[in-house]
Amino acid sequence: MENPLLINNAISFQSCQSRSSFLSLPLLIPALKTPTKARERKLIYTISKFYNISSRIGTRAMHSGEDNGALRNFKLNESTFLASLMPKKEIAADRFVEAHPEYDGRGVLVAIFDSGVDPAADGLKVTSDGKPKILDVIDCTGSGDVDTSTVVKADDSGCIVGTSGNTLVVNSSWKNPSGEWHVGCKLVYELFTSTLTDRLKKERKKRWDEKNQEAIAEAVKQLDEFDKKHTKVDDTNMKKNREDLQSRVDLLRKLADSYDDKGPVIDAVVWHDGEVWRAALDTQSLEDEPERGKLAEFLPLTNYRLERKYGIFSKLDACTCVLNIYNEGNILSIVTDSSPHGTHVAGITSAYHSKEPLLNGVAPGAQLISCKIGDSRLGSMETGTGLVRALIAAVDHKCDLINMSYGEPSLLPDYGRFVDLVNEVVNKHRLIFISSAGNNGPALSTVGAPGGTTSSIIGVGAYVSPAMAAGAHTLVEAPPEGLEYTWSSRGPTVDGDLGVSISAAGGAMAPVPTWTLQHRMFMNGTSMSSPCACGGVALLLSAMKAEHLPVSPYSVREALENTCIPVGGSPEDKLSAGQGLMQVDKAYDYIQKLHAVPSVRYQIKITQSGKSAPTSRGIYLREADFCQRSTEWTVKVEPKFHDDASNLEQLVPFEECIKLHSTGEGLVKAPEYLLLTHNGRDFNIIVDPTTLSDGLHYYEVYALDCKSPWRGPLFRIPITITKPQAVKSRPPLTVFKGMSFVPGHIERKFVEVPTGATWVEVTMKTSGFSTARRFFIDSVQISPLQRPIKWESVATFSSPSSKSFSFAVEGGRTMELAIAQFWSSGVGSHDTTSVDFEIEFHGISINKQEIILDGSEAPVRVDAEALLLLENLAPAAVLNKVRIPYRPVDSKLSTLSAERDQLPSGKQTLALLLTYKFKFEEGAEIKPYIPLLNNRIYDNKFEAQFYMISDTNKRVYAMGDVYPETAKLPKGEYTLQLYLRHDNVQYLEKMKQLVIFIEKKLDEKESIQLSFYTQPDGPVIGNSSFKSSVLIPGAKEAFYVAPPAKDKLPKGVAAGSVLVGAISYGKVSFGVNNEGKNPEKNPVSYSISYIVPPTPIDVDKGKGSSSSCTKSVAEQLEEEIRDAKIRVLSNIKQSTDEGRADWKKLSISLKSEYPKYTPLLAKILEALISQNNFEDKIQHYEEIVGAADEVIESIDTDELAKYLSIKSDPEEEGAEKTKKKMDTTRDQLADALYQKGLALAEIELLKQGNKVVDKEDAKAVEGSSAQPDLFEENFKELQKWVGVKSSQYGTIFVIRERREGRFGTALKVLSDMIQEDGSPPKKKFYDLKISLLEEIGWAHLVSYEKQWMSVRFPPSLPLF
């Protein structure tokens, strides 16, 4: 029988796409390759930019007689062009549907795990047979959740008050038997993508600017008229009036520069109509016209699953929203998409266009549910909560298929909480899970989790055909044959599994959400190949269901993998394309024959003979040691049935006679036959790579059923060998000369990094071309329990020249160097680029990978050695961050609602909410750091984590999950809440005292540059400093790293905190020239930390304060009793009538006992001010005036003024004590005057009916009455003692200017107060600001400030 792995030789190279941290962006912007960052997790590995199609491509597909897009010398016409925009020919989907028109996905339900699907998008409304296309739309992340637990009732006019404070009119036709309305609110920008938000901000800013310009013009006009009327301004009041008019102009201009649109607030209302829960939104703040967007006009919605209805916020945004109600009306989920990506993916899977069938998705008859896993709060990054809820929803809806075009690198393949749940969904509930392999090629071992690393998921690589290249990519010159995109991630996984299962078309022009203001958009990436494959599988399932064939993920996968068209002409190409390009028609034929065969998957566990760990799923000989000797491996094969399989009917009778084949005759040896029963069998494989040449080699041991050899391989054991080239020269130098490149060509070189090397310096020289060339250069090494160590760069050569790079390496391990000419670079010139690549290895070996300074004065010794060549030893170390440890102040464990959080197994998910408190005396750049949980989402046994940082006003400054991001916080007190989820209560109980760190970035002045010495006493004595030296190979040199001087430590850093930074030792020949100030810019740097010790004891503390007390014991006792009585008075709570009566009785008693004791009178005044449950407001404020007068009268103001006017000698005995007493007395006097002034102003307003009297009318009233202006008199008295424009007392000045009608001056002073006050902001200041803006008539600023109020002072914290 023909060996299925031996295919026609046809190797060539072409190009394609770049990687990006963003979901998808328009076509045409050049992509730049940047180092992978943690937060770029899902997109770098699953999606490519659709703006830039210039990228890289790898191996060429073999030419097929079926002609699946691999066309030579073809020309497009309109139909073939349209067909290339939504590729189906490549996977034979078009032929299959043409032959079986009713097997177009009908009867199949697909769950789209993505950023959300727009149910209003073109092509996603109905199926090909007229059924609803989307059956449910769910936000699994919770990012759109609104707390609607507040219940209100409508007044007689049918109005309710929302949590935003807005009055809402309820539609009288809405049924609500209970009369209870659940209310909540949401900042609408939190629901929108950044792209949509930016568009809205521009449009809203334009309208705002128009209104502000009108206000400026009017203010300038008033100022001009004043100047014309008053040519000479001598009078003080006239000067103040002119200053007021000028302030108005200045304020409006300043606000135009500082405008920052945080978006409007929408109110949400939820109620039960007697049958179902319904919800409506008030979106007036989004509309241009004041009468539009009112709550009563909103067509009420219920859960999408029930009625399949949706709405939009406004015509301006054109954004579709779905409303789902949970938890008995207490949670409203407003579902929007977090990027166009999910809708695009859904369109590829199953869009239906009745008028343009060439643009149909692969399975237009299939139905969908949208499971949003991309969290809008995190810029569309997936969260553990979203992933688990999506699995719950898929099982609950009885879906057949799951597509997930998300992923990231992982520490451990086929491991983690999500993987465990996926296994359950696939093995027990028989869902077929398809996912993208990743976009991080072309280097090997770049497949991402979960698609490329999980055994139960079908990982899909991205393929491009000539038709796609010419049509969808609009290339002038297309490749002659189909090939795998260069950026498509490659296998094997670090444990040897193939990684990529199959390939499918990796680009399409598919539907996008309505808010993009277009029907469709082109994107490409493995994010697109995955739904293409998913659509193909939907066609198969449609046929299987129609023909009543049993559906199993195991049999479908076997059919797919055994009927692929190979891509490329060598066995090694399987690492790029998996088993090849899937073929729907052939897989269908295969399944028809397979229906009588038991559905079985074959679990492979491999260990090196004689060892029990580690286990792997393939054999991956990457390091030099394994490539230089023969090794024996034990393979355990276990047939696995679905969980509902019958013991007697399926497990017991199962027996297969298997013939094992090896594609590496003489190199890979295995037994010929195996009798396999349900309990599995072990057998050994011997791999002898000693005779192989350097480079990449791929083999397989595959198993054929002796009774049914037509089935092809039942299982395969991948064997990947990357035999590295040894570096024997000294100095260690490797040169690859004369490598020839054409567009898309890739060269892979494997080098054994010499022991002792820690970095390389690379020079790339190009020649032989006349137009610009762009190259991608990747380096990958694999180290145990680490994500693959990857360095990448983009080099553009405008003309033949050289470029140099340096990057870190790990000595003793194989390094793959992948060099690719960008696929579109040089197209049309037909020049062959010649490249010389020189790699020089450098290294300084040290005895400590991480340096910890323990807080003592002792330095840490470092031994340095150069093993390869002479190296410059020039250590540099900096401590530029501080990590402050915190334990939770509170922990709450709760059981989550079964509606969204009951697992398919029936277990209930629990949540642990941990609360941490911290404070900053000045603004800081911070980042939470949780060592146990950070940087792992798929390879983590914890289900989910999410944090939220808020101030005392509940304003949220930062949110995040496994990849915390830096946030800028003003000074103030903050709360961090950490939310953890799992169904195992024991795990969560262990986390109740979880230590986290708040990592604060030190500014340049606070950063500490560490010193080095040649002697251990150097840090104390101050001599024998060490700067640099030359290391001779084989000779060690030692020096000491000194701890930081105690006086250099940042202010306020508590004992137990950890200062962290980096240290470097070597000096590269180029690229780093920062004089050692920032070792992190060195290609190789290591961690260094310093544990902050306890603060020194102040031995002088208490000295000089031992002056004898002049008071008798009786006098001291009397004072203690008095102060104790005052403390009792202060502790009486006045929240009840009884408490208020007790307080009043005691206060009267103490006043009679100590009538002139100012601290007592100040406490009574303070207590009166804090009261808020009074009926007669005027009486209450008059009591405050009386209490303030008592404080004022108790103070000898003449004595106080005399003391403050004389500069006292601080050296005099008792001078410090006297100063403190006098300062306190002055503050008590000023506070009494201040509070009296506020109370007088309130009384005045209440008596006037809250109307501001015109200043001319006020003067007339004043002139006709003998009554003095008490407010003005009090203000002038306060002015004597303190600055009345400060943030502490400025409110009184603002009120005074307001009384005089000088609103511009009042606003200016108030704005200065707010700026000076710091954080957190005081709500009373902003309330006052809004009232002033209302009085001055600037409606656009009133609206602007009210929107900001919802940001600064939200009614509650958001839900997790």
Side-chain angles (χ1 to χ4, degrees):
M1 130 176 221
E2 181 184 352
N3 187 322
L5 295 180
L6 299 179
I7 57 176
N8 297 336
N9 288 329
I11 288 208
S12 180
F13 303 92
Q14 250 300 31
S15 69
C16 183
Q17 203 51 346
S18 71
R19 295 156 287 181
S20 164
S21 65
F22 301 103
L23 272 167
S24 306
L25 305 170
L27 179 69
L28 298 175
I29 296 177
L32 293 180
K33 216 176 170 192
T34 54
T36 302
K37 297 178 182 178
R39 285 298 306 179
E40 295 170 347
R41 60 183 189 264
K42 75 175 189 293
L43 306 179
I44 284 183
Y45 296 91
T46 61
I47 323 161
S48 282
K49 276 191 175 181
F50 59 81
Y51 278 93
N52 172 22
I53 310 310
S54 50
S55 303
R56 324 182 257 171
I57 282 194
T59 52
R60 177 174 295 172
M62 81 175 257
H63 184 68
S64 155
E66 312 291 336
D67 189 30
N68 287 6
L71 308 176
R72 292 179 182 271
N73 303 319
F74 68 95
K75 290 186 177 181
L76 293 173
N77 55 37
E78 182 182 355
S79 61
T80 56
F81 168 70
L82 290 175
S84 76
L85 301 181
M86 184 64 82
K88 296 181 279 289
K89 186 180 184 67
E90 286 72 7
I91 62 169
D94 58 342
R95 288 201 304 270
F96 180 80
V97 173
E98 186 178 345
H100 310 283
E102 293 191 356
Y103 296 169
D104 63 351
R106 297 175 199 189
V108 177
L109 183 56
V110 183
I112 304 294
F113 288 14
D114 216 283
S115 61
V117 180
D118 183 356
D122 188 43
L124 294 178
K125 297 183 180 68
V126 296
T127 65
S128 57
D129 56 346
K131 294 180 180 178
K133 173 63 69 175
I134 301 176
L135 299 186
D136 205 354
V137 178
I138 310 163
D139 178 3
C140 301
T141 68
S143 57
D145 284 3
V146 181
D147 182 353
T148 51
S149 59
T150 301
V151 179
V152 299
K153 296 209 171 188
D155 61 19
D156 295 337
S157 60
C159 294
I160 59 176
V161 177
T163 54
S164 68
N166 294 328
T167 299
L168 310 170
V169 180
V170 175
N171 191 316
S172 59
S173 67
W174 294 347
K175 294 180 181 179
N176 184 354
S178 70
E180 294 183 341
W181 305 91
H182 292 247
V183 293
C185 62
K186 186 83 168 174
L187 283 164
V188 76
Y189 285 176
E190 293 177 359
L191 301 168
F192 293 163
T193 68
S194 59
T195 305
L196 175 55
T197 299
D198 289 344
R199 173 164 69 79
L200 290 179
K201 283 184 174 182
K202 287 178 183 177
E203 295 181 24
R204 285 163 55 86
K205 177 68 160 57
K206 183 180 178 182
R207 297 203 308 263
W208 189 89
D209 281 340
E210 291 171 357
K211 294 175 182 177
N212 200 56
Q213 284 302 317
E214 290 175 7
I216 291 174
E218 179 61 27
V220 170
K221 178 184 175 183
Q222 292 176 5
L223 179 61
D224 188 50
E225 288 174 351
F226 180 93
D227 289 340
K228 288 178 180 178
K229 185 176 179 181
H230 307 282
T231 54
K232 189 175 182 181
V233 181
D234 294 328
D235 180 71
T236 302
N237 282 332
M238 296 292 284
K239 286 182 178 178
K240 289 182 178 179
N241 290 340
R242 192 190 185 285
E243 287 175 5
D244 174 66
L245 293 173
Q246 184 63 54
S247 294
R248 297 184 186 205
V249 175
D250 295 342
L251 276 168
L252 288 167
R253 287 174 174 166
K254 186 177 180 181
L255 284 167
D257 294 333
S258 62
Y259 177 88
D260 183 12
D261 180 14
K262 291 296 182 182
V265 173
I266 56 172
D267 279 285
V269 179
V270 175
W271 70 96
H272 199 280
D273 69 359
E275 296 180 1
V276 296
W277 287 98
R278 295 199 178 273
L281 305 178
D282 183 282
T283 60
Q284 290 184 78
S285 53
L286 268 169
E287 296 285 357
D288 290 331
E289 302 172 21
E291 294 304 311
R292 293 185 63 87
K294 290 184 177 180
L295 175 72
E297 296 178 355
F298 194 93
L299 181 65
L301 300 175
T302 187
N303 288 22
Y304 187 88
R305 187 176 187 177
L306 300 178
E307 295 180 352
R308 293 188 291 277
K309 292 180 180 178
Y310 52 84
I312 64 166
F313 294 97
S314 71
K315 291 182 179 179
L316 182 65
D317 55 78
C319 182
T320 308
C321 68
V322 163
L323 304 183
N324 292 320
I325 302 137
Y326 303 106
N327 197 17
E328 294 298 313
N330 291 319
I331 295 176
L332 172 66
S333 173
I334 304 177
V335 190
T336 57
D337 60 79
S338 57
S339 93
H341 186 260
T343 302
H344 194 273
V345 164
I348 294 172
T349 305
S350 69
Y352 172 64
H353 303 279
S354 59
K355 295 181 180 179
E356 193 53 81
L358 288 173
L359 293 177
N360 281 350
V362 179
Q367 293 178 297
L368 308 174
I369 68 165
S370 167
C371 298
K372 176 181 172 183
I373 62 170
D375 197 304
S376 296
R377 298 167 293 187
L378 306 178
S380 199
M381 295 295 175
E382 75 270 51
T383 62
T385 299
L387 291 166
V388 173
R389 282 180 175 170
L391 287 173
I392 293 170
V395 173
D396 180 51
H397 283 74
K398 296 181 170 54
C399 292
D400 303 292
L401 275 163
I402 295 171
N403 182 85
M404 178 171 157
S405 293
Y406 270 61
E408 67 168 29
S410 66
L411 183 74
L412 298 167
D414 210 26
Y415 170 89
R417 170 71 171 165
F418 180 67
V419 172
D420 293 342
L421 294 174
V422 168
N423 291 339
E424 179 185 339
V425 166
V426 172
N427 299 331
K428 181 178 181 180
H429 300 281
R430 298 183 177 235
L431 275 75
I432 300 170
F433 201 127
I434 298 175
S435 184
S436 49
N439 296 349
N440 212 26
L444 301 184
S445 300
T446 51
V447 285
T453 62
T454 308
S455 294
S456 56
I457 295 177
I458 299 173
V460 186
Y463 170 89
V464 60
S465 68
M468 291 169 61
H473 287 277
T474 62
L475 292 187
V476 174
E477 190 173 310
E481 293 178 341
L483 56 153
E484 203 77 3
Y485 281 110
T486 306
W487 38 256
S488 187
S489 289
R490 268 65 175 176
T493 62
V494 294
D495 69 339
D497 190 52
L498 188 59
V500 184
S501 302
I502 58 174
S503 289
M509 180 75 75
V512 287
T514 56
W515 62 259
T516 63
L517 308 184
Q518 61 190 96
H519 279 319
R520 55 186 59 85
M521 189 180 286
F522 182 78
M523 304 184 198
N524 61 352
T526 53
S527 279
M528 282 67 247
S529 62
S530 181
C532 179
C534 184
V537 175
L539 299 179
L540 293 176
L541 298 189
S542 182
M544 294 172 75
K545 286 188 170 188
E547 297 177 6
H548 306 291
L549 299 175
V551 175
S552 165
Y554 309 155
S555 56
V556 170
R557 182 168 189 158
E558 180 182 324
L560 289 173
E561 293 184 345
N562 285 343
T563 57
C564 285
I565 293 177
V567 177
S570 69
E572 288 76 21
D573 291 320
K574 281 199 171 190
L575 298 171
S576 298
Q579 302 308 325
L581 186 63
M582 69 175 287
Q583 299 294 291
V584 176
D585 54 351
K586 292 181 178 179
Y588 169 67
D589 294 339
Y590 186 100
I591 285 173
Q592 286 187 312
K593 297 179 184 178
L594 194 67
H595 70 274
V597 178
S599 295
V600 177
R601 67 181 173 93
Y602 299 86
Q603 180 176 284
I604 307 294
K605 290 184 178 180
I606 303 172
T607 56
Q608 190 173 358
S609 295
K611 296 182 179 180
S612 58
T615 61
S616 62
R617 295 172 294 162
I619 298 173
Y620 193 4
L621 305 183
R622 184 177 175 98
E623 305 307 328
D625 176 56
F626 281 99
C627 296
Q628 293 165 0
R629 58 188 173 89
S630 178
T631 52
E632 186 174 9
W633 303 84
T634 300
V635 180
K636 183 174 181 61
V637 181
E638 291 184 79
K640 296 291 182 180
F641 290 77
H642 286 291
D643 291 359
D644 59 358
S646 166
N647 286 343
L648 291 175
E649 295 178 10
Q650 291 175 280
L651 272 59
V652 172
F654 177 81
E655 190 171 276
E656 289 180 332
C657 178
I658 288 175
K659 180 171 175 56
L660 296 175
H661 292 259
S662 169
T663 63
E665 293 295 336
L667 298 171
V668 178
K669 298 178 181 178
E672 289 190 33
Y673 288 93
L674 190 70
L675 185 64
L676 189 62
T677 63
H678 167 251
N679 289 319
R681 284 295 303 273
D682 293 359
F683 63 91
N684 286 3
I685 292 177
I686 296 175
V687 182
D688 183 4
T690 54
T691 60
L692 291 175
S693 60
D694 296 341
L696 172 62
H697 306 273
Y698 178 81
Y699 306 99
E700 282 184 351
V701 170
Y702 60 93
L704 297 180
D705 185 343
C706 294
K707 295 179 180 179
S708 306
W710 61 267
R711 291 174 63 185
L714 304 182
F715 60 83
R716 299 172 176 86
I717 298 166
I719 298 150
T720 308
I721 303 170
T722 57
K723 192 168 186 179
Q725 170 182 325
V727 180
K728 299 178 180 178
S729 64
R730 287 296 181 269
L733 189 70
T734 297
V735 179
F736 300 106
K737 281 188 171 291
M739 293 185 292
S740 296
F741 286 86
V742 294
H745 178 63
I746 300 171
E747 287 281 350
R748 299 184 193 277
K749 302 296 181 182
F750 298 89
V751 181
E752 181 186 0
V753 177
T755 301
T758 53
W759 81 90
V760 296
E761 296 179 7
V762 173
T763 300
M764 181 177 178
K765 183 180 180 182
T766 58
S767 61
F769 59 93
S770 55
T771 58
R773 295 290 188 270
R774 177 176 290 181
F775 284 86
F776 287 79
I777 307 105
D778 287 4
S779 166
V780 171
Q781 287 186 285
I782 295 177
S783 195
L785 294 181
Q786 289 186 45
R787 291 179 175 178
I789 305 165
K790 186 175 185 190
W791 172 87
E792 55 185 15
S793 183
V794 175
T796 301
F797 297 85
S798 56
S799 60
S801 58
S802 298
K803 290 185 182 292
S804 297
F805 316 94
S806 61
F807 53 90
V809 294
E810 188 174 332
R813 295 199 171 273
T814 296
M815 173 183 73
E816 178 193 359
L817 187 68
I819 309 162
Q821 183 171 326
F822 201 67
W823 79 302
S824 61
S825 178
V827 168
S829 72
H830 302 289
D831 292 334
T832 298
T833 307
S834 178
V835 173
D836 294 341
F837 214 85
E838 181 179 287
I839 307 173
E840 186 174 27
F841 293 90
H842 293 262
I844 295 178
S845 297
I846 53 170
N847 62 327
K848 289 182 174 65
Q849 292 290 313
E850 181 180 2
I851 291 179
I852 299 175
L853 298 161
D854 59 14
S856 70
E857 284 67 30
V860 171
R861 172 179 157 160
V862 175
D863 295 338
E865 182 180 14
L867 300 179
L868 303 175
L869 70 166
L870 292 174
E871 297 288 2
N872 289 317
L873 176 62
V878 64
L879 300 172
N880 52 14
K881 293 183 283 287
V882 58
R883 288 179 182 161
I884 309 164
Y886 291 94
R887 282 197 185 274
V889 298
D890 186 36
S891 63
K892 292 180 181 177
L893 191 61
S894 60
T895 302
L896 298 176
S897 167
E899 284 180 284
R900 290 197 284 184
D901 296 304
Q902 187 174 51
L903 298 172
S905 64
K907 292 182 179 179
Q908 197 64 43
T909 304
L910 307 172
L912 176 65
L913 183 62
L914 302 175
T915 302
Y916 302 82
K917 300 280 187 181
F918 58 95
K919 181 179 180 180
F920 290 116
E921 297 297 336
E922 56 186 26
E925 236 180 277
I926 68 103
K927 180 172 73 173
Y929 174 58
I930 311 168
L932 177 65
L933 301 174
N934 284 167
N935 302 323
R936 292 183 295 138
I937 181 168
Y938 295 106
D939 46 357
N940 191 333
K941 285 293 185 180
F942 269 86
E943 179 176 307
Q945 54 186 287
F946 201 93
Y947 70 84
M948 195 181 298
I949 299 175
S950 58
D951 66 10
T952 53
N953 291 324
K954 301 187 180 69
R955 177 181 177 182
V956 175
Y957 279 86
M959 292 180 177
D961 64 337
V962 297
Y963 296 100
E965 289 191 333
T966 299
K968 290 185 178 180
L969 303 184
K971 71 174 183 179
E973 297 179 1
Y974 293 92
T975 299
L976 184 147
Q977 290 186 309
L978 178 62
Y979 185 74
L980 304 174
R981 292 165 46 107
H982 208 283
D983 65 313
N984 189 315
V985 67
Q986 294 179 340
Y987 292 172
L988 295 176
E989 287 285 352
K990 291 178 181 179
M991 306 291 276
K992 281 190 171 181
Q993 291 300 317
L994 179 69
V995 173
I996 71 166
F997 292 86
I998 299 297
E999 184 177 277
K1000 176 186 172 185
K1001 184 179 179 182
L1002 302 178
D1003 59 34
E1004 195 171 340
K1005 293 180 180 178
E1006 291 180 307
S1007 296
I1008 303 170
Q1009 299 288 333
L1010 298 181
S1011 301
F1012 308 96
Y1013 296 89
T1014 59
Q1015 297 176 2
D1017 300 319
V1020 177
I1021 298 172
N1023 58 8
S1024 69
S1025 66
F1026 178 83
K1027 297 294 182 184
S1028 64
S1029 69
V1030 176
L1031 288 175
I1032 299 171
K1036 286 187 178 180
E1037 187 160 342
F1039 60 91
Y1040 292 89
V1041 183
K1046 301 299 185 284
D1047 59 351
K1048 297 292 184 183
L1049 298 181
K1051 293 179 181 178
V1053 177
S1057 298
V1058 183
L1059 293 171
V1060 295
I1063 182 169
S1064 64
Y1065 302 97
K1067 195 171 183 181
V1068 298
S1069 305
F1070 50 81
V1072 178
N1073 185 21
N1074 61 339
E1075 299 176 353
K1077 290 183 179 179
N1078 188 358
E1080 291 171 335
K1081 290 186 177 180
N1082 195 291
V1084 186
S1085 62
Y1086 304 89
S1087 172
I1088 186 169
S1089 58
Y1090 172 77
I1091 302 170
V1092 178
T1095 53
I1097 298 173
D1098 188 355
V1099 295
D1100 296 326
K1101 189 175 182 180
K1103 290 184 178 180
S1105 61
S1106 59
S1107 57
S1108 59
C1109 182
T1110 58
K1111 297 180 181 179
S1112 66
V1113 173
E1115 288 174 326
Q1116 292 180 49
L1117 181 60
E1118 185 178 345
E1119 287 183 357
E1120 291 288 341
I1121 293 171
R1122 176 198 65 201
D1123 293 344
K1125 290 178 179 178
I1126 294 172
R1127 283 195 296 273
V1128 171
L1129 178 69
S1130 301
N1131 291 331
I1132 295 175
K1133 295 181 179 179
Q1134 300 186 60
S1135 55
T1136 63
D1137 292 338
E1138 184 180 358
R1140 285 191 292 275
D1142 289 342
W1143 180 86
K1144 190 170 185 180
K1145 182 179 178 181
L1146 182 57
S1147 65
I1148 293 170
S1149 172
L1150 292 177
K1151 274 201 293 185
S1152 64
E1153 191 173 356
Y1154 311 106
K1156 293 293 183 181
Y1157 187 56
T1158 304
L1160 167 64
L1161 301 174
K1163 285 289 182 184
I1164 292 172
L1165 174 61
E1166 182 184 326
L1168 281 171
I1169 294 165
S1170 66
Q1171 290 179 3
N1172 54 15
N1173 47 0
F1174 44 83
E1175 295 180 1
D1176 190 334
K1177 291 185 177 181
I1178 292 179
Q1179 181 185 346
H1180 172 70
Y1181 289 120
E1182 285 176 345
E1183 288 179 3
I1184 291 176
V1185 171
D1189 282 338
E1190 289 178 344
V1191 174
I1192 295 165
E1193 290 167 6
S1194 71
I1195 297 172
D1196 187 341
T1197 53
D1198 292 337
E1199 181 188 353
L1200 179 61
K1202 182 179 178 181
Y1203 173 81
L1204 294 175
S1205 65
I1206 300 171
K1207 189 175 182 180
S1208 58
D1209 184 0
E1211 299 296 327
E1212 287 184 8
E1213 185 176 350
E1216 186 178 344
K1217 187 176 181 181
T1218 303
K1219 183 180 183 305
K1220 184 177 180 182
K1221 179 183 177 183
M1222 286 299 185
D1223 287 346
T1224 302
T1225 302
R1226 180 197 57 198
D1227 292 344
Q1228 290 169 337
L1229 173 62
D1231 188 60
L1233 290 166
Y1234 174 68
Q1235 297 297 340
K1236 178 182 177 181
L1238 295 179
L1240 287 170
E1242 290 293 340
I1243 293 169
E1244 185 179 273
L1245 284 172
L1246 289 166
K1247 288 182 176 179
Q1248 294 169 358
N1250 290 319
K1251 292 181 181 178
V1252 178
V1253 179
D1254 182 85
K1255 56 185 177 182
E1256 298 298 330
D1257 295 339
K1259 287 181 180 178
V1261 172
E1262 186 180 341
S1264 64
S1265 173
Q1267 290 184 351
D1269 187 340
L1270 297 178
F1271 178 88
E1272 188 65 23
E1273 290 177 0
N1274 184 80
F1275 177 82
K1276 290 178 179 177
E1277 183 64 24
L1278 176 62
Q1279 207 170 19
K1280 295 177 183 178
W1281 301 101
V1282 291
V1284 290
K1285 292 185 181 180
S1286 67
S1287 61
Q1288 189 173 359
Y1289 303 106
T1291 303
I1292 205 77
F1293 183 89
V1294 173
I1295 291 172
R1296 183 192 186 223
E1297 293 302 297
R1298 182 181 189 174
R1299 291 175 83 242
E1300 295 293 326
R1302 294 192 287 263
F1303 303 122
T1305 306
L1307 278 167
K1308 182 178 183 301
V1309 172
L1310 182 59
S1311 298
D1312 292 341
M1313 288 166 52
I1314 291 171
Q1315 192 72 26
E1316 177 189 338
D1317 187 50
S1319 187
K1322 293 182 175 63
K1323 188 173 184 293
K1324 63 180 182 179
F1325 286 171
Y1326 290 94
D1327 287 335
L1328 181 55
K1329 184 175 184 180
I1330 289 172
S1331 68
L1332 287 169
L1333 291 170
E1334 287 174 335
E1335 290 179 86
I1336 209 170
W1338 290 338
H1340 69 295
L1341 292 181
V1342 173
S1343 175
Y1344 174 75
E1345 286 297 334
K1346 283 184 176 179
Q1347 288 175 16
W1348 260 100
M1349 291 292 278
S1350 299
V1351 176
R1352 296 186 180 105
F1353 311 102
S1356 61
L1357 285 171
L1359 299 173
F1360 281 97

